[in-house]
Amino acid sequence: MTETTDHRDSYPPTAAFAAAANADASLYQRAAADRDAFWAEQAERLHWEQPWTQVLDWSDAPVAKWFVDGKLNVAYNCVDRHVLDGHGDQVAIHWEGEPGDSRDITYAELLAEVSRAANYLTELGLEAGDRVAIYMPMVPEAIVSMLACARLGLTHSVVFAGFSPTALRQRVDDASARLIITTDGQWRRGKAASLKKAVDEALYANGDVPHSVEHVLVVRRTDIEVPWTEGRDLWWHETVAQASPEHQAQAFDAEHPLFILYTSGTTGKPKGILHTSGGYLTQASYTHHNVFDHKAGQDIYWCTADIGWVTGHTYIVYGPLSNRTTQVVYEGTPNFPDEHRHWNIVEKYGVTIYYTAPTLVRTFMKWGREIPAAHDLSSIRVLGSVGEPINPEAWRWYREVIGANTAPIVDTWWQTETGSIMISPLPGVTAAKPGAAMTPLPGISAKVVDEEGKAVELGETEANGYLVLDQPWPSMLRGIWGDMDRYRATYWERYAEQGWYFAGDGAKLDADGDLWVLGRVDDVMNVSGHRISTAEVESALVGHSGVAEAAVVGASDATTGQGIVAFVILTAEAKDTGDALIDELKAEVSREISPIARPREIHVVPELPKTRSGKIMRRLLRDVAEGRELGDTSTLVDPNVFEAIRASRA
């Protein structure tokens, strides 16, 4: 097969795609002419039980109120209204289990399931405003649980099923969750791993320290033996499945807390990002419709994310279901039973819109183009990328090999904090550039500024700076759960004078004024699209009895974007057992946080590079980890430290 060398600088949509696209250039004009009217128009996509009196109240900045006095029910908007409109027989979810089992769930069936769950959670005594933790793999009941919580005004906190018992307990305690919903176990590459056991470990983790959890509701998925506490633990099939499939949804205020989702910050303590209902659903629905050019009843959409991350919340659950999407949900890994799994699924269901992470695209590249080439991928008409900036080489490969050189790629920039997509090409409008996030979506405003807040000038040279959002947006976070001071300090302090949100990402503008995101500028690493703080990994390493001190950096990695590289100093008593110790330390991090946080390399060093004020110079460690010439070492107490570090890496 001959290689095509389509190395243009930009890729405009075809005339046929543009003619049929949901979005056209007039969206930008309407949004610029009257921002509030534009967002009011987007909110009209939803069903409101009570209309709002004001689009945006920003008087208590940096806490926004969107669609003031408006009332709606998020689950009603995602399920009931489609059934009432006569689409009950449309498939909502084509669910594909890892072992090869599958289920098709129609909107009418989804409504019955969500109603049963809502009735049983009510029976358990849960009331609007209570928190529920959801610790589940990608099974339909996970989505049902989220929607049942939304239906009842219960604020859900979904914890990625790959997180450790310690991480789960931290999140349960922080949100004071009254209920945990989980599964007996999860399938991972053909093996059943217990999840219920992890829940029990989490609840007993702190010895006698009491927790808020009254019940643990367990879905049977793998049939493995599970520990059981009578009175506290409940089987889903004996409770929820027996409840009535009829339930009347109540409307809640637009600002009612919908979910808390934890994300890494620059300290080891995760931040519980709070999202509310009306503004969040408005922007989730608007962006899903326009960025993916989704046509209800025609497209088969597949977002490969996990519900444990924000992408799963916004672009598997709330955005797509509010737009009456038929979507694929896959439980397992991309290489089980072999590397053809994703393309078999695309063929089986005729997937038309495929949204994944650059890490996975680079993994597919590594596996070789002959794998996708063995499949009919001609159904694909839109490709999406999320989680981190995509490198131009991977972008071109993705378009050529997966998109037959015709499918537009929407490279989306957004965060847990922003709630939904902020910067992205529009597939029927934008001439996309490989690797560029392009421009803010209609209704969104962003700037690239310097340290002082001055807009970077477009010139011959590329203008680098910091990415800020200078106008509030509907799906913005409403705070950090239980810690509004930290919310203000983390996101608003740096440009407090201007009243801007600082995203923590560097960015540049090219000569055309298009935006390129350069990645984190703080002590947060982006590994396979997952944010992990250096402090979190350092604290897990220092938790090992043999480690006195640790410094962690993210070093560029061809597949995952960034790989975690750790430098540790051992205690006087500890014995350096070489590879055995390194394996032990890697296992410790996996156990404390998640296998995602497992360091790529750990180096035992005699000393760490520190400034006279005692600050570890991570910038220089990054130079070492990436094999570069060292930057300025003049501020170090002992510049010779690096000879010892280099020797340890040799």
Side-chain angles (χ1 to χ4, degrees):
M1 188 177 131
T2 57
E3 296 272 335
T4 59
T5 48
D6 186 0
H7 271 236
R8 289 177 281 155
D9 288 337
S10 73
Y11 296 74
T14 63
F17 192 102
N22 291 347
D24 60 39
S26 74
L27 272 185
Y28 292 100
Q29 281 123 36
R30 295 209 306 278
D34 188 336
R35 240 171 139 260
D36 282 12
F38 176 82
W39 283 117
E41 182 192 321
Q42 302 318 314
E44 293 295 354
R45 304 173 53 78
L46 306 177
H47 172 272
W48 294 81
E49 205 60 43
Q50 180 180 306
W52 60 87
T53 55
Q54 187 183 352
V55 174
L56 167 66
D57 176 359
W58 189 229
S59 60
D60 188 24
V63 181
K65 287 194 178 82
W66 280 87
F67 309 115
V68 182
D69 300 325
K71 286 189 164 57
L72 80 172
N73 185 287
V74 169
Y76 181 95
N77 272 286
C78 291
V79 192
D80 306 48
R81 66 173 174 152
H82 308 317
V83 176
L84 293 168
D85 288 346
H87 300 292
D89 291 341
Q90 182 183 322
V91 172
I93 298 167
H94 289 298
W95 180 75
E96 189 75 16
E98 193 192 78
D101 49 339
S102 57
R103 280 167 68 186
D104 283 350
I105 302 163
T106 64
Y107 274 96
E109 288 165 341
L110 186 59
L111 176 58
E113 292 279 319
V114 171
S115 299
R116 284 193 179 96
N119 282 320
Y120 186 65
L121 295 188
T122 303
E123 206 179 302
L124 283 179
L126 292 163
E127 292 169 2
D130 285 339
R131 273 80 59 205
V132 173
I134 298 173
Y135 185 57
M136 300 171 89
M138 293 293 289
V139 292
E141 290 84 359
I143 295 171
V144 168
S145 298
M146 290 169 75
L147 291 166
C149 287
R151 192 176 192 84
L152 296 172
L154 303 169
T155 303
H156 61 67
S157 166
V158 180
V159 181
F160 173 57
F163 274 144
S164 68
T166 318
L168 172 63
R169 175 65 184 260
Q170 230 179 352
R171 289 155 173 77
V172 163
D173 285 351
D174 190 64
S176 305
R178 288 182 63 190
L179 170 71
I180 297 179
I181 308 178
T182 189
T183 56
D184 54 357
Q186 59 179 336
W187 291 109
R188 271 291 168 262
R189 296 196 172 86
K191 290 190 178 66
S194 181
L195 259 197
K196 171 63 168 65
K197 205 164 102 201
V199 173
D200 282 39
E201 258 179 66
L203 295 183
Y204 299 125
N206 300 356
D208 297 330
V209 179
H211 52 72
S212 50
V213 176
E214 294 159 22
H215 291 102
V216 179
L217 181 55
V218 189
V219 173
R220 185 176 271 163
R221 171 64 186 132
T222 56
D223 283 328
I224 52 177
E225 282 289 303
V226 291
W228 204 256
T229 303
E230 281 307 326
R232 184 196 71 185
D233 298 347
L234 308 153
W235 282 113
W236 180 286
H237 60 272
E238 290 173 1
T239 55
V240 176
Q242 311 305 319
S244 159
E246 305 285 325
H247 183 271
Q248 203 61 45
Q250 301 298 307
F252 293 98
D253 191 86
E255 286 301 327
H256 187 81
L258 178 62
F259 66 85
I260 303 166
L261 187 56
Y262 289 81
T263 184
S264 276
T266 49
T267 67
K269 188 180 190 292
K271 306 184 294 252
I273 302 299
L274 175 67
H275 282 289
T276 56
S277 304
Y280 169 79
L281 193 63
T282 294
Q283 196 172 330
S285 185
Y286 153 72
T287 50
H288 178 265
H289 175 75
N290 288 294
V291 173
F292 298 106
D293 193 51
H294 170 262
K295 320 271 193 231
Q298 295 172 38
D299 277 308
I300 307 293
Y301 165 87
W302 183 15
C303 166
T304 71
D306 188 287
I307 55 150
W309 311 110
V310 74
T311 305
H313 285 57
T314 309
Y315 297 109
I316 293 177
V317 183
Y318 297 113
L321 294 176
S322 70
N323 288 330
R324 186 164 59 81
T325 301
T326 295
Q327 68 177 322
V328 170
V329 174
Y330 172 50
E331 177 187 35
T333 47
N335 56 353
F336 186 84
D338 57 35
E339 285 82 5
H340 291 268
R341 189 65 188 264
H342 270 222
W343 316 122
N344 283 328
I345 292 171
V346 168
E347 272 186 308
K348 175 176 175 179
Y349 296 107
V351 170
T352 57
I353 305 167
Y354 179 79
Y355 190 33
T356 197
T359 296
L360 198 52
V361 175
R362 290 190 291 265
T363 301
F364 293 147
M365 287 172 76
K366 213 159 61 182
W367 290 345
R369 61 169 65 211
E370 56 283 353
I371 290 173
H375 300 270
D376 176 7
L377 307 182
S378 60
S379 59
I380 290 177
R381 64 180 200 87
V382 177
L383 294 170
S385 166
V386 62
E388 59 188 297
I390 184 169
N391 51 310
E393 187 195 4
W395 192 102
R396 288 193 166 95
W397 187 94
Y398 192 30
R399 179 183 160 102
E400 184 190 319
V401 179
I402 310 303
N405 246 335
T406 56
I409 295 176
V410 288
D411 174 9
T412 62
W413 178 86
W414 59 296
Q415 305 174 308
T416 304
E417 291 88 344
T418 70
S420 39
I421 297 167
M422 303 293 283
I423 303 173
S424 168
L426 282 177
V429 182
T430 315
K433 295 174 184 170
M438 300 306 293
T439 52
L441 290 176
I444 301 301
S445 184
K447 282 184 158 83
V448 180
V449 299
D450 67 13
E451 204 69 61
E452 277 71 59
K454 286 202 273 299
V456 298
E457 294 295 318
L458 291 190
E460 292 310 300
T461 54
E462 283 167 339
N464 287 17
Y466 299 109
L467 180 55
V468 295
L469 301 169
D470 61 332
Q471 296 285 339
W473 62 98
S475 67
M476 68 191 295
L477 73 166
R478 297 300 195 268
I480 291 174
W481 184 258
D483 197 345
M484 290 308 279
D485 291 342
R486 190 178 175 199
Y487 166 64
R488 287 187 177 88
T490 305
Y491 302 107
W492 302 91
E493 206 168 73
R494 186 160 192 167
Y495 294 105
E497 211 179 301
Q498 297 90 342
W500 297 340
Y501 169 95
F502 175 49
D505 278 329
K508 67 177 185 188
L509 294 173
D510 63 20
D512 304 321
D514 289 322
L515 200 146
W516 300 66
V517 178
L518 304 171
R520 304 295 299 173
V521 296
D522 54 17
D523 294 328
V524 176
M525 302 168 290
N526 194 327
V527 182
S528 300
H530 305 313
R531 270 162 62 178
I532 296 160
S533 81
T534 54
E536 230 171 335
V537 181
E538 285 166 2
S539 117
L541 288 165
V542 176
H544 186 280
S545 59
V547 176
E549 206 175 353
V552 167
V553 295
S556 54
D557 185 285
T559 305
T560 59
Q562 281 191 306
I564 298 176
V565 179
F567 299 87
V568 300
I569 300 173
L570 301 184
T571 59
E573 303 74 56
K575 216 165 144 260
D576 185 353
T577 54
D579 288 350
L581 175 67
I582 302 295
D583 290 346
E584 214 176 293
L585 292 174
K586 287 181 177 178
E588 181 81 8
V589 177
S590 289
R591 193 165 53 245
E592 271 299 302
I593 306 168
S594 161
I596 293 167
R598 184 187 174 92
R600 181 184 80 187
E601 303 164 31
I602 298 180
H603 304 289
V604 176
V605 295
E607 204 40 73
L608 289 168
K610 288 180 183 170
T611 60
R612 290 173 184 84
S613 63
K615 190 172 179 284
I616 294 171
M617 291 292 281
R618 288 190 179 78
R619 170 177 60 80
L620 295 173
L621 286 175
R622 210 169 288 126
D623 289 342
V624 172
E626 295 181 343
R628 277 196 302 274
E629 279 301 302
L630 289 184
D632 177 23
T633 58
S634 60
T635 55
L636 294 183
V637 179
D638 176 12
N640 301 326
V641 153
F642 283 101
E643 291 321 308
I645 291 178
R646 280 216 180 88
S648 77
R649 290 190 81 229

